[in-house]
Amino acid sequence: MQFTLSQIAQLCSGRLYGADLTVGSVITDSRTISIAQDSVFVAMQGVNHDAHNYIGDMVERGVKAFITEREVEIAEGCSVVVVANALAALQTMAAYRRSQFKGEVVGITGSNGKTMVKEWIAASVPSSAALYRSPRSYNSQLGVALSLLMMSDDAKIAVIEAGISERGEMQTLERMIAPDTVIFTSLGDAHQANFESVEQKIAEKLTLANGAKRIIYNSECQPLAEAVERRFGDRELIDAHQVAADKCQDKISQSNIALVASFCSLYGFALPDVEALQPVAMRLEVKTGIKGALIVDDSYSCDIDSLTIALDYLSSVANSRRKIVVLSDILQSGLADSELYTLVAEKIAQSGVDMFVGVGEYISAYSDCFTVPHTMFATTEELLDNIDKLDVTDSAVLIKGNRNSRTERISHRLELKSHTTVLEVNLRAMERNINYFRAQLSPNTKLVAMVKASSYGAGDTEVAQMLCKQGIDYLAVAFADEGAELRKGGVTMPIVVLNADDQSFDTMVAYHLEPEIYSLRSLDAFVAAAQGESGYPIHLKFDTGMHRLGFGAEDISQLLERLDRYSDTVRVVSLFTHLCVADDPAQDDFTHSQIELFNSFTGSVADHLAYPVLRHAAASAAILRFKDAHFDMCRLGLGMYGYGYEHNDNLEPVSTLRTRIVQIRTLQAGESVGYGRAGVLNRTSRIATIPIGYADGLDRHLGCGRWSMLVAGKAAPTVGRICMDSCMIDITDIADVCEGDEVTIFSPVAGNSAEDMAALLDTIPYEVLTSVSKRVKRIYIYE
């Protein structure tokens, strides 16, 4: 894109202050690492954030152009366009950019499969097609605007993904995208909560095609097909089911490949290679690597726009680690190779990368463009042969590659654990959960994130780093050792230790962890351990009815006397309590009595202190149910991980436990499976063995058919008892299952969730999530 600030002011009804600069890229996140000289920073103000607060930081980092929602003080040499609404301004700029685009624009929408279809289209067309597609899941009101503004002038086809979650959103997206062709993917339950019916959601999605000439859809999705044919009978309608119904045996993938095949047929490209499309990945995965390394796996995604996003993400998780980037040839860019790799080298340098590794003959030919230490390999095989020479010790390693280079093999070689079973943690879903709870709070209310028990089984440092990036104010762990591990992993934000005891106080002081103090004795002991410290932060716990830990009414006078005596050594940061039945409407009177008692306790303490303190009582359930318990800060626990005191469509479970089939056997009726011959078959059966057992956290009570896992989206019940390291499942009724196929133990899918598993075991999701063994590899995805 190329805009002058005066042009932006005219388009967006804004006011320009300063010189009329020309800008070529947009920044909306102040944490962005790569900043070009011609960037414009767009300061948006939301319910719980105000990007105007970071304008000074962006000036220090070299940004000179700004779009703001209010008048701000302008630094020398900088310029500002003031608009009424920054997001609306970006959308107006995007619509104008689209109107100037000479190529074809294809819009993709649907409940599921949008990103997959988009990426498969990009993988199926030749580089000569000069195809541009929106990066990753940039399909929101902001994401679509940014996608259109990133669009290359040389592109002949632009494929833009459009996602909605409520009524009225698609009209704005349609105005920006103005697609020539629209592809409708499958219709599912995603984001259904804000629609009164499936028909209402279909009508909203169809808005994208209001001005389109051609529509690709799948007649197998009957409600969608009927709506398309009824509303757009005068357009060119392409039924993907008729074009490529036999491309894949799996129904869902078949529908997606049919849509890709229809696109290729429409635009004159060869039909897609089905086998080549299967491994396409659409998300960043963060894995623990050898020698203390952190692996950011972005295999199968390799273009200039996704490189910028991945470099920013690498910097956000690296902290103090060295940063290494492994990048293959970029096969589709619309740029000449010299221009492309000069741009790549600039982005690598701007991102502070310590070591660059190029893979491929094209990128190797432009080795001289790179100013950071670098080495080049002609092929992935050559790099694998020399991988022992690549020192990844305590580094964060980003691996990006085109499909043909198969750079996923590099990731596999650098991973620490080889256990087939993995716990997949969706950090983007966790962000959405946090934002849902934030929307329930006033803008000034702070948040404590509970990361005890390895973040409820989700992992340690990786989750903490994401929370830091999200602006969480405090982390809370159960024991000092957990906090020390976070410090060793580079986490610098405040950490509260909730189970503080005398034996751990020295560790807390050494790693600057903040203790929960719950008794006069613990206060005395901590002050003794903190001798020589000045104003060390502590948090006082009050017992208002749970009767686990905390100061009582009888302690208040002595507590105040001690706080006066110890005022040089410690400083009270917060006063808090635990509401023990906030999730039970039948006991709301008790919860209200706790809140009143907490007010009474903490009022006298806060009045006594000569400085302000924070008060907090509400955890996830109370955030939603008791506004009078919000006080100055709230604690996010299970809700952050996607579960609530009751089913809530606004929350997304973040964890999925997966494994793969290691063996399949056909057994006859009457034969038995497993220890004790507990699984006696009543028919000829296909039995699959999977490498997960009770040592991995799979409860033994889930055996003998009490729990079903998902194979190809269908239920496969357990057979026989759960073993220590493995178990068996019945796949008789699932066609075409092979050894190596994926098995989902629990996921966000209804009927297969950790919440469903907890209900079956007569327990709570906490226990299911925290039971997943440390030996199970955690993979972090960022969609």
Side-chain angles (χ1 to χ4, degrees):
M1 73 171 219
Q2 286 290 326
F3 284 94
T4 62
L5 293 185
S6 61
Q7 186 180 17
I8 293 173
Q10 183 177 7
L11 282 171
C12 306
S13 301
R15 302 185 305 278
L16 171 61
Y17 299 91
D20 188 14
L21 304 177
T22 298
V23 296
S25 63
V26 171
I27 300 171
T28 59
D29 189 337
S30 61
R31 296 162 298 198
T32 298
I33 304 301
S34 302
I35 295 178
Q37 291 183 343
D38 63 350
S39 296
V40 57
F41 178 64
V42 182
M44 289 181 277
Q45 184 171 346
V47 175
N48 290 287
H49 73 278
D50 187 353
H52 295 77
N53 296 332
Y54 303 102
I55 288 175
D57 295 337
M58 301 306 289
V59 170
E60 290 182 4
R61 296 172 61 189
V63 178
K64 297 185 180 300
F66 298 87
I67 298 175
T68 68
E69 295 180 342
R70 61 175 183 261
E71 293 187 12
V72 295
E73 187 174 342
I74 307 173
E76 185 177 353
C78 294
S79 299
V80 177
V81 175
V82 181
V83 297
N85 183 291
L87 174 58
L90 276 179
Q91 292 171 337
T92 299
M93 292 166 61
Y96 177 79
R97 177 77 182 88
R98 162 62 182 101
S99 70
Q100 303 302 300
F101 183 66
K102 304 302 182 185
E104 282 275 310
V105 175
V106 179
I108 301 181
T109 192
S111 299
N112 307 105
K114 298 183 292 294
T115 305
M116 179 175 289
V117 170
K118 179 189 67 181
E119 293 299 321
W120 278 354
I121 285 174
S124 299
V125 304
S127 57
S128 59
L131 181 139
Y132 166 83
R133 88 276 200 184
S134 51
R136 297 202 173 277
S137 296
Y138 271 40
N139 58 25
S140 65
Q141 299 292 307
L142 174 60
V144 168
L146 294 176
S147 297
L148 291 166
L149 291 171
M150 291 179 185
M151 201 159 50
S152 168
D153 291 327
D154 300 321
K156 299 175 183 176
I157 301 175
V159 182
I160 308 295
E161 185 180 337
I164 58 169
S165 57
E166 58 186 50
R167 295 181 65 183
E169 290 186 330
M170 191 60 86
Q171 183 175 0
T172 303
L173 299 185
E174 191 276 336
R175 179 176 67 87
M176 287 190 283
I177 301 170
D180 300 294
T181 300
V182 171
I183 300 175
F184 289 110
T185 66
S186 65
L187 183 68
D189 295 330
H191 305 297
Q192 181 65 44
N194 295 320
F195 295 94
E196 296 175 3
S197 64
V198 171
E199 290 74 20
Q200 188 182 77
K201 183 165 69 171
I202 290 175
E204 179 72 16
K205 290 185 180 296
L206 262 57
T207 301
L208 183 62
N210 279 350
K213 306 170 189 173
R214 299 168 291 272
I215 300 169
I216 300 174
Y217 68 105
N218 197 316
S219 61
E220 283 192 317
C221 184
Q222 191 171 356
L224 178 63
E226 290 175 354
V228 167
E229 292 160 6
R230 182 172 58 250
R231 183 164 165 179
F232 300 114
D234 59 337
R235 314 289 175 84
E236 182 181 352
L237 303 183
I238 301 167
D239 180 0
H241 179 59
Q242 294 181 0
V243 175
D246 60 346
K247 290 297 177 182
C248 182
Q249 292 176 343
D250 178 79
K251 186 175 182 180
I252 296 177
S253 294
Q254 179 183 18
S255 299
N256 289 333
I257 292 177
L259 293 169
V260 177
S262 298
F263 168 89
C264 292
S265 177
L266 174 65
Y267 285 97
F269 303 120
L271 291 179
D273 180 345
V274 174
E275 294 302 321
L277 293 180
Q278 295 307 310
V280 172
M282 295 157 291
R283 59 199 181 189
L284 292 165
E285 294 184 344
V286 182
K287 311 170 186 178
T288 302
I290 60 174
K291 301 179 180 179
L294 196 67
I295 309 301
V296 181
D297 189 350
D298 198 17
S299 300
Y300 298 115
S301 174
C302 194
D303 58 77
I304 196 67
D305 296 314
S306 69
L307 174 62
T308 302
I309 297 166
L311 286 171
D312 282 339
Y313 188 70
L314 175 68
S315 294
S316 73
V317 300
N319 283 336
S320 59
R321 299 172 186 263
R322 291 173 65 242
K323 289 185 287 186
I324 300 174
V325 172
V326 179
L327 177 68
S328 79
D329 287 337
I330 296 177
L331 300 181
Q332 295 178 335
S333 70
L335 302 174
D337 285 349
S338 58
E339 184 180 359
L340 169 63
Y341 292 114
T342 298
L343 181 59
V344 169
E346 289 174 356
K347 289 182 179 293
I348 294 294
Q350 291 168 357
S351 298
V353 172
D354 298 287
M355 179 67 187
F356 179 76
V357 180
V359 180
E361 59 178 313
Y362 298 109
I363 199 167
S364 296
Y366 291 91
S367 174
D368 292 344
C369 294
F370 293 87
T371 57
V372 304
H374 60 276
T375 185
M376 301 290 179
F377 297 94
T379 64
T380 301
E381 288 73 16
E382 183 182 348
L383 171 55
L384 291 171
D385 289 341
N386 293 275
I387 202 163
D388 292 339
K389 299 176 183 177
L390 182 62
D391 183 12
V392 299
T393 304
D394 296 326
S395 300
V397 185
L398 170 65
I399 301 173
K400 284 185 67 67
N402 64 64
R403 288 171 46 252
N404 297 336
S405 65
R406 294 192 60 204
T407 50
E408 79 281 1
R409 292 176 293 168
I410 303 169
S411 176
H412 294 163
R413 286 282 294 274
L414 295 178
E415 288 178 40
L416 178 62
K417 295 180 179 178
S418 58
H419 195 337
T420 302
T421 302
V422 300
L423 184 72
E424 185 180 274
V425 181
N426 188 333
L427 296 180
R428 182 73 81 180
M430 194 179 296
E431 285 183 13
R432 290 191 285 265
N433 293 335
I434 292 169
N435 288 333
Y436 168 71
F437 282 99
R438 272 183 166 150
Q440 319 304 315
L441 304 172
S442 67
N444 296 324
T445 305
K446 297 181 182 295
L447 277 176
V448 181
M450 309 300 290
V451 294
K452 60 183 181 177
S454 292
S455 301
Y456 292 39
D460 300 311
T461 307
E462 293 80 8
V463 173
Q465 288 170 338
M466 184 279 290
L467 295 172
C468 179
K469 186 176 180 182
Q470 289 302 305
I472 294 293
D473 300 282
Y474 282 87
L475 300 179
V477 297
F479 299 104
D481 289 345
E482 294 177 322
E485 285 303 310
L486 293 177
R487 289 283 187 251
K488 293 173 185 176
V491 177
T492 59
M493 62 190 297
I495 300 174
V496 181
V497 179
L498 298 177
N499 286 49
D501 61 80
D502 301 8
Q503 302 303 313
S504 64
F505 285 159
D506 288 341
T507 299
M508 279 188 254
V509 173
Y511 287 97
H512 204 73
L513 307 173
E514 304 178 14
E516 168 195 303
I517 301 298
Y518 49 82
S519 69
L520 298 172
R521 187 191 60 80
S522 68
L523 178 57
D524 293 338
F526 183 75
V527 169
Q531 284 303 314
E533 298 287 336
S534 177
Y536 198 100
I538 62 173
H539 303 259
L540 302 183
K541 173 74 173 288
F542 293 87
D543 181 9
T544 58
M546 185 166 180
H547 301 322
R548 183 171 62 181
L549 293 171
F551 291 100
E554 69 279 6
D555 301 316
I556 299 298
S557 62
Q558 292 186 68
L559 172 62
L560 296 180
E561 183 275 326
R562 277 175 166 78
L563 291 176
D564 288 340
R565 190 194 319 163
Y566 299 147
S567 60
D568 290 339
T569 304
V570 296
R571 179 185 178 92
V572 179
V573 173
S574 78
L575 313 172
F576 71 105
T577 193
H578 195 109
L579 305 178
C580 54
V581 287
D583 59 346
D584 185 356
Q587 302 193 63
D588 281 358
D589 288 344
F590 186 84
T591 299
H592 284 299
S593 71
Q594 280 194 277
I595 296 170
E596 291 175 9
L597 190 57
F598 179 66
N599 254 324
S600 173
F601 281 178
T602 58
S604 59
V605 176
D607 289 342
H608 183 82
L609 295 172
Y611 49 84
V613 293
L614 300 170
R615 296 193 296 167
H616 53 107
S620 300
I623 290 174
L624 302 179
R625 303 193 65 243
F626 296 95
K627 290 190 180 297
D628 55 341
H630 288 180
F631 295 105
D632 308 298
M633 188 157 67
C634 293
R635 303 187 298 272
L636 260 184
L638 193 62
M640 186 169 70
Y641 302 97
Y643 298 99
Y645 70 97
E646 62 181 20
H647 180 72
N648 188 327
D649 288 334
N650 295 293
L651 298 178
E652 302 176 56
V654 305
S655 296
T656 300
L657 186 60
R658 305 185 193 275
T659 191
R660 293 189 179 275
I661 294 171
V662 294
Q663 188 177 42
I664 296 175
R665 309 187 80 165
T666 299
L667 302 177
Q668 303 304 312
E671 291 194 78
S672 62
V673 177
Y675 285 115
R677 301 192 67 229
V680 178
L681 304 175
N682 59 13
R683 61 174 179 171
T684 300
S685 304
R686 295 186 78 221
I687 304 299
T689 300
I690 56 176
I692 181 172
Y694 58 78
D696 300 294
L698 189 65
D699 196 291
R700 291 185 74 245
H701 295 91
L702 297 172
C704 299
R706 296 186 185 95
W707 181 252
S708 291
M709 304 176 190
L710 297 182
V711 178
K714 297 180 180 178
T718 57
V719 182
R721 295 175 182 169
I722 305 295
C723 308
M724 179 182 286
D725 308 302
S726 61
C727 66
M728 286 65 74
I729 55 176
D730 188 341
I731 57 170
T732 309
D733 299 324
I734 307 174
D736 304 312
V737 180
C738 303
E739 292 178 357
D741 282 1
E742 187 175 80
V743 178
T744 303
I745 295 92
F746 66 70
S747 69
V749 175
N752 180 244
S753 72
E755 197 168 33
D756 298 316
M757 184 180 286
L760 180 66
L761 294 170
D762 193 24
T763 184
I764 54 179
Y766 292 84
E767 183 174 345
V768 172
L769 297 173
T770 58
S771 294
V772 179
S773 169
K774 281 279 192 180
R775 78 180 187 179
V776 173
K777 179 171 59 181
R778 270 65 172 171
I779 293 179
Y780 300 91
I781 66 172
Y782 204 79
E783 294 177 334

